[in-house]
Short mmCIF file of all heavy atoms in Angstrom, two decimals:
data_model
loop_
_atom_site.label_atom_id
_atom_site.label_comp_id
_atom_site.label_asym_id
_atom_site.label_seq_id
_atom_site.Cartn_x
_atom_site.Cartn_y
_atom_site.Cartn_z
N MET A 1345 -98.31 -19.88 23.88
CA MET A 1345 -99.45 -19.71 23.13
C MET A 1345 -99.57 -21.05 22.33
O MET A 1345 -98.59 -21.61 21.90
CB MET A 1345 -99.55 -18.56 22.28
CG MET A 1345 -99.75 -17.26 23.01
SD MET A 1345 -99.81 -15.73 21.90
CE MET A 1345 -98.02 -15.47 21.71
N LYS A 1346 -100.77 -21.39 22.06
CA LYS A 1346 -100.99 -22.69 21.20
C LYS A 1346 -101.37 -22.19 19.89
O LYS A 1346 -102.19 -21.27 19.64
CB LYS A 1346 -102.16 -23.38 21.88
CG LYS A 1346 -101.75 -24.04 23.21
CD LYS A 1346 -102.90 -24.91 23.74
CE LYS A 1346 -102.46 -25.44 25.23
NZ LYS A 1346 -103.44 -26.27 25.63
N TYR A 1347 -100.79 -22.92 18.87
CA TYR A 1347 -101.05 -22.64 17.40
C TYR A 1347 -101.37 -23.88 16.71
O TYR A 1347 -101.05 -25.02 16.98
CB TYR A 1347 -99.76 -22.08 16.77
CG TYR A 1347 -99.28 -20.92 17.35
CD1 TYR A 1347 -98.53 -20.74 18.50
CD2 TYR A 1347 -99.52 -19.65 16.43
CE1 TYR A 1347 -98.11 -19.55 18.92
CE2 TYR A 1347 -99.04 -18.43 17.07
CZ TYR A 1347 -98.36 -18.44 18.24
OH TYR A 1347 -97.79 -17.13 18.63
N GLU A 1348 -102.34 -23.75 15.74
CA GLU A 1348 -102.74 -24.73 14.84
C GLU A 1348 -101.95 -24.69 13.56
O GLU A 1348 -101.74 -23.50 13.15
CB GLU A 1348 -104.24 -24.79 14.44
CG GLU A 1348 -105.10 -24.72 15.65
CD GLU A 1348 -104.97 -26.13 16.40
OE1 GLU A 1348 -104.77 -27.16 15.70
OE2 GLU A 1348 -105.21 -26.16 17.76
N VAL A 1349 -101.47 -25.69 12.87
CA VAL A 1349 -100.59 -25.70 11.77
C VAL A 1349 -101.45 -26.22 10.53
O VAL A 1349 -101.86 -27.23 10.58
CB VAL A 1349 -99.36 -26.46 11.95
CG1 VAL A 1349 -98.49 -26.43 10.69
CG2 VAL A 1349 -98.67 -25.96 13.30
N PHE A 1350 -101.43 -25.48 9.51
CA PHE A 1350 -102.09 -25.88 8.16
C PHE A 1350 -101.04 -25.83 7.19
O PHE A 1350 -100.08 -25.06 7.12
CB PHE A 1350 -103.14 -25.03 7.94
CG PHE A 1350 -104.18 -24.92 8.91
CD1 PHE A 1350 -104.19 -24.00 10.09
CD2 PHE A 1350 -105.47 -25.66 8.92
CE1 PHE A 1350 -105.22 -23.92 10.98
CE2 PHE A 1350 -106.26 -25.70 9.79
CZ PHE A 1350 -106.22 -24.79 10.96
N ALA A 1351 -101.25 -26.68 6.13
CA ALA A 1351 -100.20 -26.84 5.04
C ALA A 1351 -100.84 -27.44 3.75
O ALA A 1351 -101.96 -28.09 3.91
CB ALA A 1351 -98.98 -27.56 5.54
N ARG A 1352 -100.12 -27.27 2.67
CA ARG A 1352 -100.60 -28.06 1.46
C ARG A 1352 -99.22 -28.46 0.75
O ARG A 1352 -98.26 -27.78 0.70
CB ARG A 1352 -101.37 -27.22 0.50
CG ARG A 1352 -100.76 -25.92 -0.10
CD ARG A 1352 -101.61 -25.24 -1.12
NE ARG A 1352 -100.80 -24.17 -1.73
CZ ARG A 1352 -101.16 -22.86 -1.72
NH1 ARG A 1352 -102.43 -22.48 -1.18
NH2 ARG A 1352 -100.37 -21.98 -2.26
N LEU A 1353 -99.32 -29.57 -0.03
CA LEU A 1353 -98.15 -30.07 -0.80
C LEU A 1353 -97.94 -29.30 -2.00
O LEU A 1353 -96.76 -28.92 -2.33
CB LEU A 1353 -98.38 -31.60 -0.97
CG LEU A 1353 -98.15 -32.41 0.18
CD1 LEU A 1353 -98.65 -33.82 -0.14
CD2 LEU A 1353 -96.68 -32.36 0.62
N ASN A 1354 -99.01 -29.04 -2.74
CA ASN A 1354 -98.78 -28.36 -4.04
C ASN A 1354 -99.81 -27.17 -4.19
O ASN A 1354 -100.86 -27.23 -3.62
CB ASN A 1354 -99.13 -29.36 -5.25
CG ASN A 1354 -98.28 -30.69 -5.13
OD1 ASN A 1354 -96.95 -30.52 -5.26
ND2 ASN A 1354 -98.86 -31.77 -5.05
N ALA A 1355 -99.35 -26.09 -5.03
CA ALA A 1355 -100.22 -25.13 -5.32
C ALA A 1355 -101.44 -25.58 -5.94
O ALA A 1355 -101.51 -26.53 -6.80
CB ALA A 1355 -99.56 -24.11 -6.26
N GLY A 1356 -102.70 -25.11 -5.46
CA GLY A 1356 -104.10 -25.65 -5.87
C GLY A 1356 -104.56 -26.67 -5.13
O GLY A 1356 -105.71 -26.96 -5.15
N ASP A 1357 -103.72 -27.42 -4.28
CA ASP A 1357 -104.10 -28.45 -3.40
C ASP A 1357 -104.95 -27.90 -2.24
O ASP A 1357 -104.91 -26.56 -1.99
CB ASP A 1357 -103.10 -29.16 -2.72
CG ASP A 1357 -102.46 -30.21 -3.69
OD1 ASP A 1357 -102.92 -30.37 -4.85
OD2 ASP A 1357 -101.34 -30.86 -3.33
N GLU A 1358 -105.75 -28.67 -1.56
CA GLU A 1358 -106.46 -28.21 -0.41
C GLU A 1358 -105.45 -27.90 0.76
O GLU A 1358 -104.40 -28.71 0.82
CB GLU A 1358 -107.44 -29.37 0.12
CG GLU A 1358 -108.63 -29.58 -0.79
CD GLU A 1358 -109.73 -28.51 -0.73
OE1 GLU A 1358 -109.81 -28.08 0.31
OE2 GLU A 1358 -110.23 -28.25 -1.80
N THR A 1359 -105.64 -27.07 1.48
CA THR A 1359 -104.89 -26.75 2.71
C THR A 1359 -105.55 -27.59 3.91
O THR A 1359 -106.73 -27.61 4.02
CB THR A 1359 -104.87 -25.19 3.08
OG1 THR A 1359 -104.32 -24.59 1.91
CG2 THR A 1359 -104.02 -25.05 4.40
N ILE A 1360 -104.64 -28.31 4.51
CA ILE A 1360 -105.13 -29.28 5.42
C ILE A 1360 -104.44 -29.01 6.91
O ILE A 1360 -103.50 -28.43 6.91
CB ILE A 1360 -104.87 -30.85 5.10
CG1 ILE A 1360 -103.28 -30.94 4.98
CG2 ILE A 1360 -105.50 -31.18 3.78
CD1 ILE A 1360 -102.81 -32.37 4.79
N HIS A 1361 -105.11 -29.43 7.95
CA HIS A 1361 -104.60 -29.23 9.33
C HIS A 1361 -103.53 -30.40 9.48
O HIS A 1361 -103.85 -31.57 9.30
CB HIS A 1361 -105.77 -29.39 10.33
CG HIS A 1361 -105.25 -29.28 11.66
ND1 HIS A 1361 -105.16 -30.33 12.53
CD2 HIS A 1361 -105.00 -28.22 12.44
CE1 HIS A 1361 -104.62 -29.97 13.65
NE2 HIS A 1361 -104.60 -28.55 13.68
N VAL A 1362 -102.38 -30.05 9.63
CA VAL A 1362 -101.20 -31.01 9.83
C VAL A 1362 -100.84 -31.28 11.35
O VAL A 1362 -100.14 -32.00 11.72
CB VAL A 1362 -99.95 -30.71 8.99
CG1 VAL A 1362 -100.49 -30.79 7.58
CG2 VAL A 1362 -99.41 -29.38 9.27
N GLY A 1363 -101.29 -30.28 12.36
CA GLY A 1363 -100.88 -30.44 13.67
C GLY A 1363 -100.83 -29.19 14.42
O GLY A 1363 -101.63 -28.24 14.13
N ARG A 1364 -100.09 -29.21 15.64
CA ARG A 1364 -100.07 -28.17 16.58
C ARG A 1364 -98.74 -27.80 17.16
O ARG A 1364 -97.96 -28.81 17.17
CB ARG A 1364 -101.12 -28.41 17.79
CG ARG A 1364 -102.43 -28.68 17.40
CD ARG A 1364 -103.28 -29.20 18.63
NE ARG A 1364 -104.63 -29.36 18.16
CZ ARG A 1364 -105.14 -30.48 17.55
NH1 ARG A 1364 -104.40 -31.48 17.37
NH2 ARG A 1364 -106.36 -30.50 17.34
N VAL A 1365 -98.53 -26.66 17.44
CA VAL A 1365 -97.27 -26.26 18.17
C VAL A 1365 -97.49 -25.22 19.23
O VAL A 1365 -98.60 -24.62 19.21
CB VAL A 1365 -96.17 -25.68 17.26
CG1 VAL A 1365 -95.70 -26.62 16.15
CG2 VAL A 1365 -96.57 -24.30 16.62
N GLU A 1366 -96.69 -25.19 20.15
CA GLU A 1366 -96.87 -24.19 21.32
C GLU A 1366 -95.48 -23.33 21.22
O GLU A 1366 -94.33 -23.81 21.03
CB GLU A 1366 -96.92 -24.88 22.57
CG GLU A 1366 -98.20 -25.58 22.82
CD GLU A 1366 -98.49 -25.78 24.33
OE1 GLU A 1366 -98.10 -25.08 25.25
OE2 GLU A 1366 -99.04 -26.96 24.57
N ALA A 1367 -95.69 -21.96 21.37
CA ALA A 1367 -94.50 -21.12 21.32
C ALA A 1367 -94.90 -19.75 21.93
O ALA A 1367 -96.07 -19.48 22.21
CB ALA A 1367 -94.32 -20.81 19.74
N ASP A 1368 -93.88 -19.10 22.34
CA ASP A 1368 -94.04 -17.74 23.12
C ASP A 1368 -94.35 -16.63 22.13
O ASP A 1368 -94.97 -15.58 22.56
CB ASP A 1368 -92.86 -17.45 23.97
CG ASP A 1368 -92.63 -18.39 25.04
OD1 ASP A 1368 -93.68 -18.97 25.67
OD2 ASP A 1368 -91.48 -18.66 25.53
N THR A 1369 -93.97 -16.87 20.80
CA THR A 1369 -94.19 -15.76 19.83
C THR A 1369 -94.61 -16.30 18.59
O THR A 1369 -94.39 -17.59 18.16
CB THR A 1369 -92.94 -14.83 19.72
OG1 THR A 1369 -91.91 -15.68 18.88
CG2 THR A 1369 -92.34 -14.35 21.02
N ASP A 1370 -95.28 -15.43 17.64
CA ASP A 1370 -95.56 -15.87 16.35
C ASP A 1370 -94.40 -16.34 15.50
O ASP A 1370 -94.36 -17.36 14.86
CB ASP A 1370 -96.38 -14.82 15.56
CG ASP A 1370 -97.72 -14.46 16.12
OD1 ASP A 1370 -98.12 -15.21 17.02
OD2 ASP A 1370 -98.24 -13.37 15.74
N THR A 1371 -93.28 -15.62 15.72
CA THR A 1371 -91.97 -16.04 14.94
C THR A 1371 -91.51 -17.38 15.37
O THR A 1371 -91.11 -18.14 14.52
CB THR A 1371 -90.85 -15.02 15.19
OG1 THR A 1371 -91.35 -13.71 14.72
CG2 THR A 1371 -89.68 -15.21 14.54
N LEU A 1372 -91.62 -17.61 16.67
CA LEU A 1372 -91.16 -19.01 17.16
C LEU A 1372 -92.05 -20.01 16.68
O LEU A 1372 -91.58 -21.15 16.15
CB LEU A 1372 -91.01 -19.09 18.58
CG LEU A 1372 -89.75 -18.42 19.27
CD1 LEU A 1372 -89.90 -18.39 20.71
CD2 LEU A 1372 -88.61 -19.14 18.69
N ALA A 1373 -93.44 -19.67 16.68
CA ALA A 1373 -94.36 -20.82 16.21
C ALA A 1373 -94.15 -21.05 14.66
O ALA A 1373 -94.25 -22.21 14.30
CB ALA A 1373 -95.92 -20.07 16.29
N ARG A 1374 -93.77 -20.14 13.92
CA ARG A 1374 -93.45 -20.42 12.43
C ARG A 1374 -92.33 -21.45 12.33
O ARG A 1374 -92.20 -22.38 11.65
CB ARG A 1374 -93.11 -19.17 11.66
CG ARG A 1374 -94.29 -18.30 11.32
CD ARG A 1374 -93.87 -17.09 10.69
NE ARG A 1374 -94.88 -16.17 10.47
CZ ARG A 1374 -94.90 -15.00 11.00
NH1 ARG A 1374 -94.08 -14.57 11.94
NH2 ARG A 1374 -95.98 -14.10 10.94
N SER A 1375 -91.24 -21.02 13.21
CA SER A 1375 -89.95 -21.89 13.16
C SER A 1375 -90.41 -23.25 13.68
O SER A 1375 -89.76 -24.35 13.06
CB SER A 1375 -88.96 -21.14 14.06
OG SER A 1375 -87.71 -21.95 14.05
N PHE A 1376 -90.98 -23.34 14.74
CA PHE A 1376 -91.29 -24.67 15.38
C PHE A 1376 -92.13 -25.54 14.34
O PHE A 1376 -91.94 -26.77 14.27
CB PHE A 1376 -92.07 -24.45 16.75
CG PHE A 1376 -91.22 -23.95 17.87
CD1 PHE A 1376 -91.87 -23.50 18.95
CD2 PHE A 1376 -89.86 -23.76 17.70
CE1 PHE A 1376 -91.11 -23.05 20.13
CE2 PHE A 1376 -89.20 -23.28 18.74
CZ PHE A 1376 -89.83 -22.88 19.94
N ALA A 1377 -93.12 -24.85 13.59
CA ALA A 1377 -93.93 -25.63 12.83
C ALA A 1377 -93.05 -26.09 11.61
O ALA A 1377 -93.29 -27.30 11.25
CB ALA A 1377 -95.06 -24.73 12.34
N ARG A 1378 -92.29 -25.32 11.00
CA ARG A 1378 -91.37 -25.76 9.98
C ARG A 1378 -90.58 -26.82 10.32
O ARG A 1378 -90.42 -27.86 9.48
CB ARG A 1378 -90.60 -24.47 9.36
CG ARG A 1378 -89.81 -24.84 8.28
CD ARG A 1378 -89.14 -23.46 7.68
NE ARG A 1378 -88.77 -22.36 8.61
CZ ARG A 1378 -89.35 -21.22 8.61
NH1 ARG A 1378 -90.44 -20.94 7.96
NH2 ARG A 1378 -89.02 -20.39 9.65
N THR A 1379 -90.04 -26.88 11.57
CA THR A 1379 -89.15 -27.82 12.02
C THR A 1379 -89.95 -29.14 12.44
O THR A 1379 -89.59 -30.31 12.06
CB THR A 1379 -88.35 -27.49 13.27
OG1 THR A 1379 -87.58 -26.25 12.89
CG2 THR A 1379 -87.52 -28.48 13.85
N ALA A 1380 -91.00 -29.00 13.04
CA ALA A 1380 -91.91 -30.26 13.48
C ALA A 1380 -92.42 -31.12 12.34
O ALA A 1380 -92.62 -32.11 12.38
CB ALA A 1380 -92.94 -29.75 14.42
N TYR A 1381 -92.85 -30.21 11.24
CA TYR A 1381 -93.56 -30.84 10.15
C TYR A 1381 -92.79 -30.78 8.87
O TYR A 1381 -93.35 -30.70 7.83
CB TYR A 1381 -95.00 -30.12 9.98
CG TYR A 1381 -95.76 -30.35 11.34
CD1 TYR A 1381 -95.77 -29.23 12.21
CD2 TYR A 1381 -96.36 -31.59 11.68
CE1 TYR A 1381 -96.58 -29.44 13.45
CE2 TYR A 1381 -97.01 -31.70 12.74
CZ TYR A 1381 -97.09 -30.67 13.72
OH TYR A 1381 -97.74 -30.83 14.96
N ASP A 1382 -91.44 -30.99 8.84
CA ASP A 1382 -90.56 -30.95 7.86
C ASP A 1382 -90.44 -32.18 6.99
O ASP A 1382 -89.72 -32.42 5.95
CB ASP A 1382 -89.20 -30.48 8.17
CG ASP A 1382 -88.44 -31.52 8.95
OD1 ASP A 1382 -89.07 -32.50 9.51
OD2 ASP A 1382 -87.22 -31.39 9.11
N GLU A 1383 -91.31 -33.20 7.31
CA GLU A 1383 -91.31 -34.63 6.73
C GLU A 1383 -91.71 -34.38 5.15
O GLU A 1383 -91.54 -35.29 4.36
CB GLU A 1383 -92.09 -35.62 7.41
CG GLU A 1383 -93.58 -35.43 7.45
CD GLU A 1383 -94.17 -34.46 8.43
OE1 GLU A 1383 -93.41 -33.90 9.28
OE2 GLU A 1383 -95.42 -34.41 8.54
N GLU A 1384 -92.53 -33.37 4.90
CA GLU A 1384 -93.00 -33.28 3.47
C GLU A 1384 -92.35 -31.78 2.99
O GLU A 1384 -91.93 -30.93 3.69
CB GLU A 1384 -94.46 -32.96 3.49
CG GLU A 1384 -95.18 -34.17 4.01
CD GLU A 1384 -95.32 -35.34 3.09
OE1 GLU A 1384 -94.82 -35.12 1.85
OE2 GLU A 1384 -95.71 -36.43 3.36
N ASP A 1385 -92.35 -31.80 1.55
CA ASP A 1385 -91.88 -30.55 0.99
C ASP A 1385 -93.08 -29.73 0.66
O ASP A 1385 -93.59 -29.58 -0.38
CB ASP A 1385 -91.13 -30.93 -0.29
CG ASP A 1385 -90.45 -29.71 -0.89
OD1 ASP A 1385 -90.26 -28.64 -0.23
OD2 ASP A 1385 -90.18 -29.77 -2.11
N TRP A 1386 -93.50 -28.98 1.73
CA TRP A 1386 -94.79 -28.19 1.64
C TRP A 1386 -94.69 -27.08 0.73
O TRP A 1386 -93.67 -26.32 0.76
CB TRP A 1386 -95.17 -27.61 3.11
CG TRP A 1386 -95.39 -28.78 4.16
CD1 TRP A 1386 -94.54 -29.02 5.15
CD2 TRP A 1386 -96.51 -29.70 4.19
NE1 TRP A 1386 -95.05 -30.16 5.98
CE2 TRP A 1386 -96.15 -30.54 5.37
CE3 TRP A 1386 -97.63 -30.00 3.39
CZ2 TRP A 1386 -96.98 -31.62 5.65
CZ3 TRP A 1386 -98.40 -30.96 3.83
CH2 TRP A 1386 -98.12 -31.84 4.91
N ASP A 1387 -95.66 -26.81 -0.03
CA ASP A 1387 -95.73 -25.64 -0.96
C ASP A 1387 -96.11 -24.39 -0.14
O ASP A 1387 -95.62 -23.32 -0.34
CB ASP A 1387 -96.70 -25.88 -1.99
CG ASP A 1387 -97.10 -24.63 -2.86
OD1 ASP A 1387 -96.21 -24.00 -3.52
OD2 ASP A 1387 -98.23 -24.08 -2.74
N TYR A 1388 -96.91 -24.67 0.96
CA TYR A 1388 -97.43 -23.48 1.82
C TYR A 1388 -97.65 -24.21 3.23
O TYR A 1388 -98.14 -25.22 3.42
CB TYR A 1388 -98.79 -23.22 1.11
CG TYR A 1388 -99.60 -22.23 2.04
CD1 TYR A 1388 -99.42 -20.82 2.06
CD2 TYR A 1388 -100.71 -22.61 2.74
CE1 TYR A 1388 -100.19 -20.04 2.86
CE2 TYR A 1388 -101.45 -21.94 3.55
CZ TYR A 1388 -101.16 -20.34 3.62
OH TYR A 1388 -101.91 -19.61 4.33
N MET A 1389 -97.30 -23.31 4.27
CA MET A 1389 -97.54 -23.67 5.52
C MET A 1389 -98.10 -22.23 6.26
O MET A 1389 -97.54 -21.31 6.11
CB MET A 1389 -96.35 -24.22 6.14
CG MET A 1389 -96.61 -24.67 7.63
SD MET A 1389 -95.19 -25.36 8.40
CE MET A 1389 -95.36 -27.07 7.76
N ALA A 1390 -99.01 -22.46 7.21
CA ALA A 1390 -99.50 -21.41 8.02
C ALA A 1390 -99.72 -21.74 9.41
O ALA A 1390 -100.04 -23.03 9.75
CB ALA A 1390 -100.72 -20.83 7.44
N VAL A 1391 -99.52 -20.89 10.39
CA VAL A 1391 -99.80 -21.14 11.72
C VAL A 1391 -100.91 -20.17 12.12
O VAL A 1391 -100.97 -18.86 11.77
CB VAL A 1391 -98.70 -21.01 12.73
CG1 VAL A 1391 -97.65 -22.27 12.40
CG2 VAL A 1391 -97.85 -19.68 12.64
N VAL A 1392 -101.82 -20.60 12.94
CA VAL A 1392 -103.02 -19.83 13.40
C VAL A 1392 -103.03 -19.88 14.92
O VAL A 1392 -103.15 -21.11 15.51
CB VAL A 1392 -104.31 -20.21 12.77
CG1 VAL A 1392 -105.38 -19.27 13.31
CG2 VAL A 1392 -104.22 -20.08 11.24
N ARG A 1393 -103.03 -18.79 15.70
CA ARG A 1393 -103.27 -18.88 17.03
C ARG A 1393 -104.55 -19.56 17.43
O ARG A 1393 -105.55 -19.23 16.90
CB ARG A 1393 -103.22 -17.55 17.78
CG ARG A 1393 -101.92 -16.79 17.79
CD ARG A 1393 -102.07 -15.57 18.61
NE ARG A 1393 -100.82 -14.78 18.38
CZ ARG A 1393 -100.68 -13.61 19.00
NH1 ARG A 1393 -101.64 -12.95 19.64
NH2 ARG A 1393 -99.47 -12.99 18.74
N ARG A 1394 -104.45 -20.49 18.27
CA ARG A 1394 -105.61 -21.34 18.64
C ARG A 1394 -106.85 -20.38 19.16
O ARG A 1394 -107.95 -20.62 18.74
CB ARG A 1394 -105.25 -22.33 19.77
CG ARG A 1394 -106.49 -23.11 20.27
CD ARG A 1394 -106.84 -24.16 19.14
NE ARG A 1394 -107.93 -24.95 19.62
CZ ARG A 1394 -109.23 -24.78 19.12
NH1 ARG A 1394 -109.42 -24.00 18.16
NH2 ARG A 1394 -110.10 -25.66 19.56
N GLU A 1395 -106.47 -19.37 19.75
CA GLU A 1395 -107.55 -18.47 20.29
C GLU A 1395 -108.24 -17.69 19.08
O GLU A 1395 -109.37 -17.14 19.29
CB GLU A 1395 -106.99 -17.39 21.19
CG GLU A 1395 -106.05 -16.45 20.50
CD GLU A 1395 -105.13 -15.66 21.49
OE1 GLU A 1395 -104.43 -16.28 22.35
OE2 GLU A 1395 -105.08 -14.32 21.28
N HIS A 1396 -107.74 -17.70 17.81
CA HIS A 1396 -108.34 -17.14 16.73
C HIS A 1396 -109.11 -18.03 15.85
O HIS A 1396 -109.70 -17.65 14.93
CB HIS A 1396 -107.16 -16.43 15.89
CG HIS A 1396 -106.55 -15.30 16.53
ND1 HIS A 1396 -105.31 -14.75 16.20
CD2 HIS A 1396 -107.00 -14.50 17.65
CE1 HIS A 1396 -105.12 -13.78 16.96
NE2 HIS A 1396 -106.06 -13.52 17.84
N VAL A 1397 -109.10 -19.33 16.24
CA VAL A 1397 -109.78 -20.33 15.52
C VAL A 1397 -111.39 -20.29 15.97
O VAL A 1397 -111.59 -20.35 17.32
CB VAL A 1397 -109.33 -21.80 15.63
CG1 VAL A 1397 -110.22 -22.90 15.02
CG2 VAL A 1397 -107.87 -21.81 15.16
N LEU A 1398 -112.29 -20.03 15.16
CA LEU A 1398 -113.62 -19.96 15.60
C LEU A 1398 -114.40 -21.23 15.34
O LEU A 1398 -114.27 -21.75 14.15
CB LEU A 1398 -114.32 -19.01 14.76
CG LEU A 1398 -113.72 -17.51 14.91
CD1 LEU A 1398 -114.47 -16.55 13.99
CD2 LEU A 1398 -113.71 -16.98 16.35
N GLU A 1399 -114.87 -21.94 16.30
CA GLU A 1399 -115.58 -23.16 16.08
C GLU A 1399 -116.96 -23.16 15.68
O GLU A 1399 -117.63 -21.98 15.93
CB GLU A 1399 -115.66 -24.06 17.39
CG GLU A 1399 -114.11 -24.38 18.00
CD GLU A 1399 -114.21 -25.32 19.11
OE1 GLU A 1399 -115.33 -25.84 19.56
OE2 GLU A 1399 -113.25 -25.27 19.80
N VAL A 1400 -117.36 -24.04 14.81
CA VAL A 1400 -118.80 -23.91 14.28
C VAL A 1400 -119.46 -25.08 14.97
O VAL A 1400 -119.13 -26.24 14.86
CB VAL A 1400 -118.74 -24.06 12.68
CG1 VAL A 1400 -120.24 -24.08 12.18
CG2 VAL A 1400 -117.94 -23.00 12.10
N GLU A 1401 -120.62 -24.70 15.62
CA GLU A 1401 -121.31 -25.78 16.26
C GLU A 1401 -122.20 -26.48 15.28
O GLU A 1401 -122.91 -25.92 14.57
CB GLU A 1401 -122.26 -25.23 17.41
CG GLU A 1401 -121.35 -24.63 18.40
CD GLU A 1401 -122.19 -23.94 19.57
OE1 GLU A 1401 -123.39 -24.46 19.92
OE2 GLU A 1401 -121.78 -23.05 20.08
N GLN A 1402 -122.15 -27.78 15.19
CA GLN A 1402 -122.73 -28.62 14.13
C GLN A 1402 -124.21 -28.91 14.51
O GLN A 1402 -125.04 -29.20 13.58
CB GLN A 1402 -122.07 -30.02 13.98
CG GLN A 1402 -120.71 -29.85 13.47
CD GLN A 1402 -120.64 -29.16 12.06
OE1 GLN A 1402 -121.55 -29.41 11.31
NE2 GLN A 1402 -119.51 -28.39 11.77
N ASP A 1403 -124.59 -28.70 15.75
CA ASP A 1403 -126.03 -29.13 16.11
C ASP A 1403 -126.91 -27.88 16.08
O ASP A 1403 -128.07 -28.07 16.37
CB ASP A 1403 -125.97 -29.65 17.58
CG ASP A 1403 -125.49 -28.75 18.63
OD1 ASP A 1403 -124.89 -27.69 18.21
OD2 ASP A 1403 -125.57 -29.11 19.72
N ARG A 1404 -126.55 -26.88 15.52
CA ARG A 1404 -127.38 -25.74 15.38
C ARG A 1404 -128.05 -25.70 14.01
O ARG A 1404 -127.39 -25.93 13.00
CB ARG A 1404 -126.55 -24.36 15.57
CG ARG A 1404 -126.12 -24.27 16.99
CD ARG A 1404 -125.89 -22.83 17.28
NE ARG A 1404 -125.44 -22.75 18.77
CZ ARG A 1404 -125.89 -21.87 19.66
NH1 ARG A 1404 -126.84 -21.04 19.16
NH2 ARG A 1404 -125.41 -21.81 20.84
N VAL A 1405 -129.32 -25.22 13.99
CA VAL A 1405 -130.02 -25.08 12.74
C VAL A 1405 -129.77 -23.69 12.04
O VAL A 1405 -129.83 -22.76 12.80
CB VAL A 1405 -131.59 -25.37 12.87
CG1 VAL A 1405 -132.26 -25.15 11.62
CG2 VAL A 1405 -131.77 -26.65 13.42
N ALA A 1406 -129.43 -23.59 10.75
CA ALA A 1406 -129.31 -22.36 10.16
C ALA A 1406 -130.54 -21.52 10.25
O ALA A 1406 -131.68 -21.99 10.21
CB ALA A 1406 -128.91 -22.53 8.67
N PRO A 1407 -130.34 -20.15 10.51
CA PRO A 1407 -131.53 -19.30 10.67
C PRO A 1407 -132.39 -19.29 9.33
O PRO A 1407 -131.77 -19.45 8.22
CB PRO A 1407 -131.03 -17.96 10.90
CG PRO A 1407 -129.48 -18.02 10.52
CD PRO A 1407 -129.17 -19.48 10.64
N SER A 1408 -133.62 -19.21 9.55
CA SER A 1408 -134.60 -19.14 8.39
C SER A 1408 -134.38 -17.79 7.59
O SER A 1408 -134.21 -16.72 8.30
CB SER A 1408 -136.01 -19.23 8.82
OG SER A 1408 -136.90 -19.01 7.76
N THR A 1409 -134.44 -17.84 6.23
CA THR A 1409 -134.34 -16.58 5.45
C THR A 1409 -135.73 -15.91 5.35
O THR A 1409 -135.67 -14.78 4.80
CB THR A 1409 -133.71 -17.04 4.09
OG1 THR A 1409 -134.61 -17.78 3.50
CG2 THR A 1409 -132.39 -17.56 4.16
N GLY A 1410 -136.72 -16.60 5.68
CA GLY A 1410 -138.00 -15.89 5.72
C GLY A 1410 -138.69 -16.26 4.47
O GLY A 1410 -139.89 -15.83 4.17
N GLY A 1411 -137.98 -16.78 3.42
CA GLY A 1411 -138.69 -16.98 2.14
C GLY A 1411 -139.45 -18.30 2.19
O GLY A 1411 -139.18 -19.20 2.83
N SER A 1412 -140.29 -18.50 1.13
CA SER A 1412 -141.14 -19.78 1.03
C SER A 1412 -140.32 -20.75 0.17
O SER A 1412 -139.71 -20.18 -0.83
CB SER A 1412 -142.53 -19.51 0.64
OG SER A 1412 -142.59 -18.95 -0.59
N SER A 1413 -140.46 -21.96 0.41
CA SER A 1413 -139.68 -22.95 -0.62
C SER A 1413 -140.79 -23.79 -1.30
O SER A 1413 -141.87 -23.87 -1.15
CB SER A 1413 -138.75 -23.72 0.24
OG SER A 1413 -139.36 -24.39 1.39
#
């Protein structure tokens, strides 16, 4: 499975996308991410299965609320 890796350096910082890993299980994905991206002393790191990432299409117009402006 493919995973996206997110991390932040300090509590209160923005969480950023730092890379990707491939693993057979969630447990292995955590371990691979920690090993692959250990160049920083991350305060927080998370892995998300790629299949769970929902893309937002930029070219779509937001639906109208029906109110007048």
Side-chain angles (χ1 to χ4, degrees):
M1345 289 179 277
K1346 295 180 181 183
Y1347 294 81
E1348 301 296 329
V1349 182
F1350 299 88
R1352 70 172 180 234
L1353 285 173
N1354 302 299
D1357 285 354
E1358 295 282 330
T1359 301
I1360 60 170
H1361 181 259
V1362 295
R1364 298 171 179 87
V1365 295
E1366 288 192 38
D1368 292 332
T1369 68
D1370 293 349
T1371 300
L1372 282 174
R1374 288 183 188 107
S1375 179
F1376 292 170
R1378 188 171 27 252
T1379 301
Y1381 301 101
D1382 69 346
E1383 70 277 3
E1384 298 286 350
D1385 186 20
W1386 303 109
D1387 168 67
Y1388 170 81
M1389 182 179 282
V1391 293
V1392 179
R1393 286 186 192 177
R1394 179 69 181 111
E1395 64 194 56
H1396 293 157
V1397 174
L1398 304 177
E1399 293 185 21
V1400 177
E1401 295 181 30
Q1402 296 298 324
D1403 58 352
R1404 295 203 179 226
V1405 177
S1408 173
T1409 60
S1412 59
S1413 44

